[in-house]
Amino acid sequence: MKTLIPSVRALVAKELIAKYNLRQIDVAKMLGVTQAAISQYLRGARGNIIDLKRDEEIMRIVNRIATGLINKDLSKRDLSILICEICYQARKKGIYCDCLLYTSPSPRDRG
């Protein structure tokens, strides 16, 4: 999840800025991150390890999250459920797997 959640946040941030013309600071407040984090999402310096945008179902969920945040009709529980659904879809389709958690060797594996 360490790589998946930032990827989801990046997509939601991009959607909010592109579709709703929001400022970075406003998106940061909505997502509970800093404006600097939003800037990094937009530049691809953060949240770009997993490419979720190619999957239509995941993008529908991202759109639902963005719309819910704009309309203020998305509870924290609903947001959690939608993020869980993205995680489920990504794992089911092989976009994300636990193997990504082990991409760099731990200190004890280095010798």
Side-chain angles (χ1 to χ4, degrees):
M1 296 303 137
K2 188 176 180 178
T3 55
L4 188 62
I5 299 301
S7 297
V8 172
R9 279 194 202 120
L11 287 174
V12 172
K14 290 173 184 177
E15 179 87 3
L16 289 168
I17 289 169
K19 190 172 182 180
Y20 298 101
N21 203 29
L22 294 179
R23 298 177 306 154
Q24 289 182 22
I25 191 70
D26 298 324
V27 173
K29 287 177 185 174
M30 289 176 142
L31 296 181
V33 298
T34 65
Q35 180 274 325
I38 299 300
S39 177
Q40 290 176 340
Y41 291 144
L42 296 175
R43 288 192 330 264
R46 185 189 274 192
N48 66 345
I49 292 175
I50 303 172
D51 185 9
L52 300 172
K53 66 182 170 289
R54 293 182 184 181
D55 186 272
E56 290 181 28
E57 179 62 27
I58 289 174
M59 289 309 296
R60 274 194 288 276
I61 300 167
V62 166
N63 188 346
R64 171 64 186 107
I65 292 170
T67 302
L69 290 171
I70 287 293
N71 294 334
K72 297 182 177 160
D73 65 355
L74 188 65
S75 70
K76 287 186 179 186
R77 181 179 183 276
D78 291 340
L79 176 60
S80 295
I81 290 169
L82 291 171
I83 290 172
C84 286
E85 181 61 24
I86 289 173
C87 295
Y88 171 76
Q89 291 295 326
R91 283 176 180 247
K92 180 175 95 172
K93 296 173 181 181
I95 299 168
Y96 176 82
C97 64
D98 288 334
C99 60
L100 292 173
L101 298 175
Y102 307 105
T103 55
S104 61
S106 69
R108 68 176 174 215
D109 293 336
R110 290 184 207 146

